[in-house]
Amino acid sequence: MAGKVFFSVSMSLDGFIAPESHAVGVRAMESFSAPEERSTDPDVQRWMTQWMQLQQWIFPQRFFRENLNLGEGGEEGRDNDIARETFERTGASVMGKRMFDLGEKSWPREAPFHTPVFVVTNDKRDPWQRPGGTTFHFVNDGIEPALDQARQAAGDRDVRIAGGAATILQYLNAGLIDEFSITLSPVLFGSGTRLFQGVDADRVALQPLRAEPSPRVTHLTYTVRQR
Amino acid sequence: MAGKVFFSVSMSLDGFIAPESHAVGVRAMESFSAPEERSTDPDVQRWMTQWMQLQQWIFPQRFFRENLNLGEGGEEGRDNDIARETFERTGASVMGKRMFDLGEKSWPREAPFHTPVFVVTNDKRDPWQRPGGTTFHFVNDGIEPALDQARQAAGDRDVRIAGGAATILQYLNAGLIDEFSITLSPVLFGSGTRLFQGVDADRVALQPLRAEPSPRVTHLTYTVRQR
């Protein structure tokens, strides 16, 4: 029996999953991975501050620290369980080229997926194998072939559409998402990349599945039905 | 001891508190209050469908039915308690002219506030007293004088900034909101009136206070601090 197709993102209360703008984000991630050259550009600093606020629920979690080899210890409450469950259900991921470009600058050598990852891109490139079990495959013929390959690779486990927003929306509007989770963070961005920009609202209907508040955030899960 | 200043709205998961557009909404509300002339305009029908989806959690509640004289009965769970608590804490409301214009076409003769309401507007108009205790006062000198008058009228109870989005944002950006509640509905609009459009994200910081899932929606409450 095949797994589900899902996405799981952290979102600001005003609907953004990344600060303004992608170009600034690329510079922020370069700065992040080379702290000795940390940028003093106010745009880069603002981007990184908002990003840290959005994601701050996950940094203290034991699972997050283990998965990125940041050391022992960490919190073990429901936030930690949810982070771990999201990882463990995922047999393969799909991402867009922009997310890959951003991640390539910021993931550690041992990239945090530990499964096959299918990158939807026009770039022709051989599979890129990282230590720890992550292999990036570059798929040049669109979102459906990428998903087919991910399903194949995932076996009984689920396929995660990792991002970014534009890629998630393509899958959502195409009716290819079974369910999704949003970790709603108590922060307002004012601008940035909106998760649901361009959603086909006449087509996508939601059914609430779970809502789990934690002291830091609210974890919301919905199933998707096509109208 | 003075009460708090708060707002409480239903929001779509993609951040809208009203469908597209205000002009269509005015026609939808006219149609709503005169069902024998129900519009067949697809824009009006779409507006009303989205509005009903956004607000559908409240229609079956006992408090809502009582408050609008829709008859006996109704649900009495946590959704009902929250609707009642929001009403009971409110000693006076403030609203913008656009919300008033929309409401004037759709509220019953016995308007559902049962307290003084201060309308921020350039229109000069005598107080408009409705049966059941609602009196609309038209304030011509801006948001702060309107709030001062509402505080005075509310006494120990709280002041609710009723809407619409532009008015709520003016108070939020001016640092005049103490806390707010969002009832997050499992619906995507794609377009419409965004709650947080134009928020001064560098100034407004949030602290989560409560998150209460119900089977239909998620009730989120935040306190606001100025940075």
Side-chain angles (χ1 to χ4, degrees), chain A residues 11-13 53-54 56 184-188 215-218, chain B residues 205-208 222:
Chain A
M11 185 174 89
S12 72
L13 187 59
Q53 287 172 345
L54 181 69
Q56 74 171 339
L184 201 62
S185 286
V187 56
L188 297 169
R216 288 196 173 79
V217 290
T218 307
Chain B
L206 308 180
Q207 187 72 35
Y222 300 87

Side-chain angles (χ1 to χ4, degrees), chain B residues 44-82:
Chain B
V44 169
Q45 290 181 336
R46 188 168 190 278
W47 195 100
M48 191 50 83
T49 300
Q50 288 195 329
W51 178 255
M52 300 294 272
Q53 287 172 346
L54 181 67
Q55 303 289 348
Q56 73 172 341
W57 70 277
I58 207 170
F59 300 129
Q61 306 307 324
R62 182 183 179 98
F63 168 76
F64 178 83
R65 297 179 52 78
E66 281 173 8
N67 194 38
L68 284 172
N69 289 322
L70 298 177
E72 296 283 306
E75 292 185 15
E76 297 186 54
R78 191 67 192 119
D79 284 337
N80 187 58
D81 293 344
I82 286 172

Side-chain angles (χ1 to χ4, degrees), chain A residues 98-118:
Chain A
R98 283 159 64 97
M99 179 173 175
F100 175 77
D101 287 348
L102 207 60
E104 197 178 10
K105 296 189 188 301
S106 57
W107 295 313
R109 254 177 65 76
E110 194 169 313
F113 302 95
H114 308 289
T115 60
V117 177
F118 297 87

Side-chain angles (χ1 to χ4, degrees), chain B residues 18 78 135 159 185 225:
Chain B
R78 191 67 192 119
T135 301
V159 173
S185 286
R225 7 177 219 100

Side-chain angles (χ1 to χ4, degrees), chain A residues 17-216:
Chain A
I17 63 169
E20 182 92 24
S21 65
H22 183 72
V24 174
V26 171
R27 282 156 56 212
M29 286 304 178
E30 285 167 346
S31 170
F32 189 67
S33 56
E36 67 282 5
E37 298 167 33
R38 189 141 286 177
S39 174
T40 56
D41 180 326
D43 287 346
V44 169
Q45 290 181 337
R46 188 169 191 278
W47 195 99
M48 192 50 84
T49 300
Q50 289 194 329
W51 179 256
M52 299 294 272
Q53 287 172 345
L54 181 69
Q55 302 289 349
Q56 74 171 339
W57 70 276
I58 207 169
F59 300 130
Q61 305 308 323
R62 183 183 179 97
F63 168 76
F64 178 82
R65 297 180 52 78
E66 281 174 6
N67 194 38
L68 284 172
N69 289 323
L70 299 178
E72 296 284 305
E75 292 185 16
E76 297 186 54
R78 191 67 192 119
D79 284 338
N80 187 58
D81 292 345
I82 286 173
R84 187 182 301 275
E85 287 161 14
T86 302
F87 176 81
E88 287 178 351
R89 69 186 284 193
T90 303
S93 293
V94 175
M95 69 179 61
K97 175 183 160 42
R98 283 159 64 97
M99 179 173 175
F100 175 77
D101 287 348
L102 207 60
E104 197 178 10
K105 296 189 188 301
S106 57
W107 295 313
R109 254 177 65 76
E110 194 169 313
F113 302 95
H114 308 289
T115 60
V117 177
F118 297 87
V119 183
V120 182
T121 176
N122 292 321
D123 294 349
K124 294 192 194 317
R125 182 167 164 181
D126 288 333
W128 186 41
Q129 199 173 331
R130 307 304 292 153
T134 303
T135 301
F136 295 94
H137 301 271
F138 302 89
V139 182
N140 302 137
D141 47 358
I143 64 168
E144 299 207 24
L147 180 56
D148 289 343
Q149 291 181 53
R151 282 186 201 272
Q152 205 79 32
D156 291 349
R157 287 196 289 165
D158 295 337
V159 173
R160 179 177 183 172
I161 309 299
T167 301
I168 287 172
L169 254 278
Q170 281 184 58
Y171 281 100
L172 187 62
N173 283 342
L176 296 169
I177 303 285
D178 298 309
E179 64 174 54
F180 64 83
S181 296
I182 291 176
T183 297
L184 201 62
S185 286
V187 56
L188 297 169
F189 275 11
S191 63
T193 304
R194 289 189 193 281
L195 175 56
F196 290 112
Q197 187 74 49
V199 69
D200 186 347
D202 291 329
R203 186 163 177 200
V204 180
L206 308 180
Q207 186 73 37
L209 192 62
R210 281 187 304 278
E212 296 186 79
S214 80
R216 288 196 173 79

